[in-house]
Amino acid sequence: MPPLSDHSAPNPEEFEQSLQNLEEALRALKQRYAQVKADQQRQQALRQQLNQTQRELNRNRTSNALRAELKQIRQQLEEIELALESQLFSWKELREGFWQAVRFGGIGVVLGWVLKSCAGGN
């Protein structure tokens, strides 16, 4: 998008496209956030299940089924922890959203000045 000068108005098509991109990024962020919340709840449930299985294994040390279940729970916990570490934010998306907010904020200020000058404001 070319820089805005005091005498030019923003291209409405570019503005609409940028706004659409911002809405899509926000929608994707909300989806990732919901996934993170679900993963955190699943992680908590798995930790409780892990603790319970470990207690049962301590009572019955010869149970291979409990050992296999314990191994599976630990593997699931590792997968969830990896997903949680990388899922919510990526710097590229944060940086892009930040600059879009700055750009739209700047457009808003410029449009405000233009409207004020057209209206003959103080």
Side-chain angles (χ1 to χ4, degrees):
M1 183 171 176
L4 294 176
S5 68
D6 290 310
H7 300 99
S8 69
N11 183 342
E13 293 169 3
E14 288 178 11
F15 181 78
E16 287 179 25
Q17 181 62 42
S18 295
L19 189 57
Q20 240 178 1
N21 292 342
L22 186 60
E23 288 173 347
E24 289 172 15
L26 181 60
R27 194 172 15 260
L29 181 63
K30 285 181 178 181
Q31 288 174 347
R32 282 192 305 277
Y33 180 71
Q35 183 64 46
V36 166
K37 286 180 74 171
D39 284 348
Q40 287 173 335
Q41 290 173 350
R42 177 75 177 134
Q43 181 184 37
Q44 184 179 13
L46 283 171
R47 284 185 178 159
Q48 290 174 353
Q49 186 179 358
L50 178 72
N51 291 336
Q52 180 182 357
T53 304
Q54 283 177 332
R55 285 192 300 270
E56 290 177 20
L57 185 61
N58 288 338
R59 284 186 230 135
N60 184 4
R61 295 190 182 269
T62 60
S63 175
N64 287 333
L66 286 175
R67 291 179 200 273
E69 183 179 349
L70 201 57
K71 183 179 178 180
Q72 180 185 12
I73 292 170
R74 285 183 178 143
Q75 182 179 2
Q76 289 177 3
L77 273 171
E78 285 179 20
E79 291 171 3
I80 287 176
E81 287 170 1
L82 283 174
L84 285 171
E85 288 176 5
S86 64
Q87 206 168 33
L88 185 56
F89 295 111
S90 74
W91 174 245
K92 181 180 181 235
E93 290 170 331
L94 283 176
R95 186 178 64 216
E96 182 180 332
F98 170 77
W99 287 115
Q100 284 185 356
V102 168
R103 182 172 59 213
F104 289 134
I107 288 173
V109 169
V110 169
L111 287 175
W113 286 338
V114 169
L115 290 174
K116 185 176 180 182
S117 67
C118 289
N122 299 341

Coordinates of all heavy atoms in Angstrom, one line a residue, residues 49-92:
Q49 N -5.2 -38.4 35.3 CA -5.2 -39.8 34.9 C -3.8 -40.5 35.2 O -3.7 -41.6 35.7 CB -5.6 -40.0 33.5 CG -5.8 -41.4 33.0 CD -6.2 -41.5 31.6 OE1 -6.4 -40.5 30.9 NE2 -6.4 -42.8 31.1
L50 N -2.7 -39.7 34.9 CA -1.4 -40.2 35.1 C -1.1 -40.5 36.6 O -0.6 -41.5 37.0 CB -0.4 -39.2 34.6 CG 1.1 -39.5 34.8 CD1 1.5 -40.6 33.8 CD2 2.0 -38.3 34.5
N51 N -1.5 -39.5 37.4 CA -1.4 -39.7 38.9 C -2.1 -40.9 39.4 O -1.6 -41.7 40.2 CB -1.8 -38.4 39.6 CG -0.8 -37.3 39.4 OD1 0.3 -37.5 39.0 ND2 -1.3 -36.1 39.5
Q52 N -3.4 -41.0 38.9 CA -4.2 -42.2 39.3 C -3.6 -43.5 38.9 O -3.5 -44.4 39.7 CB -5.6 -42.0 38.8 CG -6.5 -43.2 39.2 CD -7.9 -43.0 38.6 OE1 -8.2 -42.0 37.9 NE2 -8.8 -44.0 38.8
T53 N -3.1 -43.5 37.7 CA -2.5 -44.8 37.1 C -1.2 -45.1 37.9 O -0.9 -46.3 38.2 CB -2.2 -44.6 35.6 OG1 -3.4 -44.3 35.0 CG2 -1.7 -45.9 35.0
Q54 N -0.4 -44.1 38.2 CA 0.8 -44.3 39.0 C 0.5 -44.9 40.4 O 1.2 -45.8 40.9 CB 1.6 -43.0 39.1 CG 2.4 -42.7 37.9 CD 3.1 -41.3 38.0 OE1 2.7 -40.4 38.7 NE2 4.2 -41.2 37.2
R55 N -0.6 -44.4 41.0 CA -1.0 -44.9 42.3 C -1.4 -46.4 42.2 O -1.0 -47.2 43.0 CB -2.1 -44.1 42.9 CG -1.6 -42.7 43.5 CD -2.7 -42.0 44.3 NE -3.9 -41.8 43.6 CZ -4.2 -40.6 42.9 NH1 -3.3 -39.7 42.9 NH2 -5.3 -40.5 42.3
E56 N -2.2 -46.7 41.2 CA -2.6 -48.1 40.9 C -1.4 -49.0 40.7 O -1.3 -50.1 41.1 CB -3.6 -48.1 39.8 CG -4.9 -47.5 40.1 CD -5.9 -47.5 38.9 OE1 -5.6 -48.3 37.9 OE2 -6.8 -46.8 38.8
L57 N -0.4 -48.5 39.9 CA 0.8 -49.2 39.6 C 1.6 -49.5 40.9 O 2.2 -50.6 41.0 CB 1.6 -48.6 38.5 CG 2.8 -49.3 38.0 CD1 2.4 -50.6 37.4 CD2 3.6 -48.5 37.0
N58 N 1.6 -48.5 41.8 CA 2.3 -48.7 43.0 C 1.7 -49.8 43.9 O 2.4 -50.5 44.6 CB 2.4 -47.4 43.8 CG 3.4 -46.4 43.2 OD1 4.3 -46.7 42.4 ND2 3.1 -45.1 43.5
R59 N 0.4 -49.9 43.8 CA -0.3 -51.0 44.5 C -0.1 -52.4 43.9 O -0.1 -53.4 44.5 CB -1.8 -50.7 44.6 CG -2.1 -49.6 45.6 CD -3.6 -49.4 45.7 NE -3.9 -48.0 45.6 CZ -4.8 -47.4 44.9 NH1 -5.7 -48.2 44.2 NH2 -5.0 -46.1 44.8
N60 N -0.1 -52.4 42.5 CA 0.0 -53.6 41.8 C 1.2 -53.5 40.8 O 1.1 -53.2 39.6 CB -1.3 -53.9 41.0 CG -1.3 -55.2 40.3 OD1 -0.3 -56.0 40.4 ND2 -2.3 -55.5 39.6
R61 N 2.4 -53.7 41.3 CA 3.6 -53.5 40.5 C 3.8 -54.5 39.4 O 4.7 -54.2 38.5 CB 4.9 -53.6 41.4 CG 4.9 -52.5 42.5 CD 6.2 -52.4 43.2 NE 6.2 -51.4 44.2 CZ 6.6 -50.2 44.0 NH1 7.0 -49.8 42.8 NH2 6.6 -49.3 45.0
T62 N 3.1 -55.5 39.3 CA 3.3 -56.5 38.2 C 2.4 -56.3 37.0 O 2.4 -57.1 36.1 CB 3.0 -57.9 38.8 OG1 1.7 -58.0 39.3 CG2 4.1 -58.2 39.9
S63 N 1.5 -55.3 37.0 CA 0.6 -55.1 35.9 C 1.2 -54.4 34.7 O 1.6 -53.3 34.7 CB -0.6 -54.2 36.4 OG -1.4 -53.9 35.4
N64 N 1.3 -55.2 33.7 CA 1.9 -54.7 32.4 C 0.9 -53.8 31.7 O 1.3 -52.9 31.0 CB 2.2 -55.9 31.5 CG 3.5 -56.6 31.9 OD1 4.3 -56.0 32.6 ND2 3.6 -57.9 31.6
A65 N -0.4 -54.0 31.9 CA -1.4 -53.2 31.3 C -1.3 -51.7 31.9 O -1.4 -50.8 31.1 CB -2.8 -53.7 31.6
L66 N -1.1 -51.6 33.2 CA -0.9 -50.3 33.8 C 0.3 -49.6 33.3 O 0.4 -48.4 33.1 CB -0.9 -50.4 35.3 CG -2.2 -50.7 36.0 CD1 -2.0 -50.9 37.5 CD2 -3.2 -49.6 35.7
R67 N 1.4 -50.4 33.1 CA 2.6 -49.8 32.6 C 2.4 -49.3 31.2 O 2.9 -48.2 30.8 CB 3.8 -50.8 32.6 CG 4.2 -51.2 34.0 CD 5.3 -52.3 33.9 NE 5.5 -53.0 35.2 CZ 6.2 -52.6 36.2 NH1 6.9 -51.5 36.0 NH2 6.3 -53.3 37.3
A68 N 1.7 -50.0 30.3 CA 1.4 -49.6 29.0 C 0.6 -48.4 29.0 O 0.8 -47.4 28.2 CB 0.8 -50.7 28.2
E69 N -0.4 -48.3 29.9 CA -1.3 -47.2 30.0 C -0.5 -45.9 30.4 O -0.7 -44.8 29.9 CB -2.4 -47.4 30.9 CG -3.4 -46.3 31.0 CD -4.6 -46.6 32.0 OE1 -4.7 -47.8 32.4 OE2 -5.3 -45.7 32.3
L70 N 0.4 -46.1 31.4 CA 1.2 -45.1 31.9 C 2.1 -44.5 30.7 O 2.2 -43.3 30.6 CB 2.1 -45.6 33.0 CG 2.7 -44.6 34.0 CD1 1.6 -43.7 34.6 CD2 3.5 -45.3 35.0
K71 N 2.7 -45.4 29.9 CA 3.5 -44.9 28.8 C 2.7 -44.1 27.8 O 3.1 -43.1 27.3 CB 4.1 -46.2 28.2 CG 5.1 -45.8 27.0 CD 5.7 -47.1 26.4 CE 6.6 -46.7 25.3 NZ 7.2 -47.9 24.7
Q72 N 1.5 -44.6 27.5 CA 0.6 -43.9 26.6 C 0.2 -42.6 27.1 O 0.2 -41.6 26.3 CB -0.6 -44.8 26.3 CG -1.6 -44.2 25.3 CD -2.9 -44.9 25.1 OE1 -3.2 -45.9 25.9 NE2 -3.7 -44.6 24.1
I73 N -0.1 -42.4 28.3 CA -0.5 -41.2 28.9 C 0.7 -40.2 28.8 O 0.5 -39.0 28.5 CB -1.0 -41.3 30.4 CG1 -2.3 -42.1 30.4 CG2 -1.1 -40.0 31.1 CD1 -2.7 -42.5 31.8
R74 N 1.9 -40.7 29.2 CA 3.0 -39.8 29.1 C 3.3 -39.3 27.7 O 3.6 -38.1 27.5 CB 4.3 -40.5 29.6 CG 4.3 -40.6 31.1 CD 5.5 -41.3 31.7 NE 5.5 -41.3 33.1 CZ 6.0 -42.3 33.8 NH1 6.5 -43.4 33.2 NH2 5.9 -42.3 35.1
Q75 N 3.1 -40.2 26.7 CA 3.3 -39.8 25.3 C 2.3 -38.7 24.9 O 2.6 -37.7 24.2 CB 3.2 -41.0 24.4 CG 3.4 -40.7 22.9 CD 3.3 -42.0 22.1 OE1 3.0 -43.0 22.6 NE2 3.5 -41.8 20.8
Q76 N 1.0 -38.9 25.3 CA 0.0 -37.9 25.0 C 0.3 -36.6 25.6 O 0.1 -35.5 25.0 CB -1.4 -38.4 25.4 CG -1.9 -39.6 24.6 CD -3.3 -40.1 25.1 OE1 -3.8 -39.6 26.1 NE2 -3.8 -41.1 24.5
L77 N 0.8 -36.6 26.9 CA 1.1 -35.4 27.6 C 2.2 -34.7 26.8 O 2.2 -33.4 26.7 CB 1.5 -35.7 29.0 CG 0.4 -35.7 30.0 CD1 0.9 -36.2 31.4 CD2 -0.2 -34.3 30.2
E78 N 3.2 -35.4 26.4 CA 4.3 -34.8 25.6 C 3.8 -34.1 24.3 O 4.2 -33.0 24.0 CB 5.4 -35.8 25.3 CG 6.3 -36.2 26.4 CD 7.3 -37.3 26.1 OE1 7.6 -37.4 24.9 OE2 7.8 -38.0 27.0
E79 N 2.9 -34.8 23.6 CA 2.4 -34.2 22.4 C 1.6 -33.0 22.7 O 1.7 -32.0 21.9 CB 1.5 -35.3 21.7 CG 2.2 -36.5 21.1 CD 1.3 -37.6 20.6 OE1 0.1 -37.4 20.7 OE2 1.9 -38.6 20.2
I80 N 0.8 -33.0 23.7 CA 0.0 -31.8 24.0 C 0.9 -30.6 24.5 O 0.7 -29.5 24.1 CB -1.0 -32.1 25.2 CG1 -2.1 -32.9 24.6 CG2 -1.6 -30.8 25.8 CD1 -3.1 -33.4 25.6
E81 N 2.0 -30.9 25.2 CA 2.9 -29.9 25.7 C 3.6 -29.2 24.5 O 3.8 -28.0 24.4 CB 3.9 -30.4 26.7 CG 3.2 -30.7 28.0 CD 4.1 -31.4 29.0 OE1 5.2 -31.8 28.7 OE2 3.6 -31.7 30.2
L82 N 4.0 -30.1 23.5 CA 4.6 -29.5 22.3 C 3.6 -28.7 21.5 O 4.0 -27.6 21.0 CB 5.1 -30.7 21.4 CG 6.4 -31.3 21.8 CD1 6.7 -32.5 20.9 CD2 7.6 -30.4 21.8
A83 N 2.4 -29.1 21.4 CA 1.4 -28.3 20.7 C 1.2 -27.0 21.4 O 1.0 -26.0 20.8 CB 0.1 -29.1 20.6
L84 N 1.1 -27.0 22.7 CA 0.9 -25.8 23.5 C 2.0 -24.8 23.3 O 1.8 -23.6 23.3 CB 0.6 -26.1 25.0 CG -0.7 -26.7 25.3 CD1 -0.8 -27.2 26.8 CD2 -1.8 -25.8 25.0
E85 N 3.2 -25.3 23.3 CA 4.4 -24.4 23.1 C 4.4 -23.7 21.8 O 4.8 -22.5 21.7 CB 5.7 -25.2 23.3 CG 5.9 -25.7 24.7 CD 7.2 -26.5 24.8 OE1 7.9 -26.7 23.8 OE2 7.4 -27.0 25.9
S86 N 3.9 -24.3 20.8 CA 4.0 -23.7 19.4 C 2.7 -23.2 18.9 O 2.6 -22.6 17.8 CB 4.6 -24.7 18.5 OG 3.7 -25.8 18.3
Q87 N 1.6 -23.4 19.6 CA 0.3 -23.2 18.9 C -0.3 -21.8 19.0 O -0.8 -21.3 18.0 CB -0.7 -24.1 19.6 CG -1.8 -24.5 18.7 CD -2.6 -25.7 19.3 OE1 -2.7 -25.8 20.5 NE2 -3.1 -26.5 18.4
L88 N -0.2 -21.1 20.1 CA -1.0 -19.9 20.3 C -0.5 -18.7 19.4 O -1.2 -18.1 18.7 CB -1.0 -19.5 21.8 CG -1.9 -18.3 22.1 CD1 -3.3 -18.5 21.6 CD2 -1.9 -18.0 23.6
F89 N 0.8 -18.4 19.5 CA 1.3 -17.2 18.8 C 2.5 -17.6 18.0 O 3.4 -18.3 18.5 CB 1.7 -16.1 19.8 CG 0.5 -15.6 20.6 CD1 0.4 -15.8 21.9 CD2 -0.4 -14.8 20.0 CE1 -0.6 -15.3 22.7 CE2 -1.5 -14.3 20.7 CZ -1.6 -14.5 22.0
S90 N 2.6 -17.0 16.9 CA 3.9 -17.0 16.2 C 4.2 -15.6 16.0 O 3.4 -14.7 15.8 CB 3.7 -17.7 14.8 OG 3.0 -17.0 13.9
W91 N 5.5 -15.3 16.1 CA 6.0 -13.9 16.0 C 5.5 -13.2 14.7 O 5.1 -12.1 14.7 CB 7.5 -13.8 16.2 CG 8.0 -12.4 16.0 CD1 8.8 -12.0 15.0 CD2 7.6 -11.2 16.8 NE1 9.0 -10.6 15.1 CE2 8.3 -10.2 16.2 CE3 6.8 -11.0 17.8 CZ2 8.2 -8.9 16.7 CZ3 6.7 -9.7 18.3 CH2 7.4 -8.7 17.8
K92 N 5.6 -14.0 13.6 CA 5.2 -13.4 12.3 C 3.8 -12.9 12.3 O 3.5 -11.8 11.9 CB 5.4 -14.4 11.2 CG 5.0 -13.9 9.8 CD 5.2 -14.9 8.8 CE 4.9 -14.3 7.4 NZ 3.9 -15.0 6.7

